[in-house]
Amino acid sequence: MNRLAEYFATDWEAMTVNDWIGTLLTVVIFLLMILAYFQVFRPKNRESLESRKHIPFEDDPPSGERDGRS
């Protein structure tokens, strides 16, 4: 077990600002992904998500109709 602990040992004092930013960004993205998975797979949200599943395949309206101009 000692070899495994040595392999994963981290020198926290030697970490630079970029190391900390990368570590924090990784943790934040991981938490956001968990939140997204819970929201998508929650049965309560099924009807809302099912009604929007074809949005990527719908044709866009012409640019003048999109913002109310002719």
Side-chain angles (χ1 to χ4, degrees):
M1 187 65 176
N2 193 20
R3 287 184 61 199
L4 188 61
E6 288 177 16
Y7 182 76
F8 287 109
T10 303
D11 186 8
W12 298 104
E13 289 83 22
M15 289 180 67
T16 64
V17 174
N18 287 333
D19 294 333
W20 282 108
I21 291 172
T23 301
L24 293 174
L25 189 62
T26 301
V27 170
V28 168
I29 290 173
F30 176 73
L31 293 174
L32 288 174
M33 288 297 296
I34 288 175
L35 179 70
Y37 287 139
F38 275 112
Q39 186 170 1
V40 167
F41 292 121
R42 189 173 188 187
K44 177 182 170 184
N45 297 332
R46 181 181 177 124
E47 187 175 324
S48 171
L49 293 172
E50 286 288 327
S51 68
R52 295 184 278 172
K53 69 181 180 183
H54 295 292
I55 289 176
F57 303 113
E58 294 176 1
D59 291 333
D60 290 335
S63 62
E65 294 178 19
R66 189 177 312 158
D67 56 3
R69 292 181 281 160
S70 294

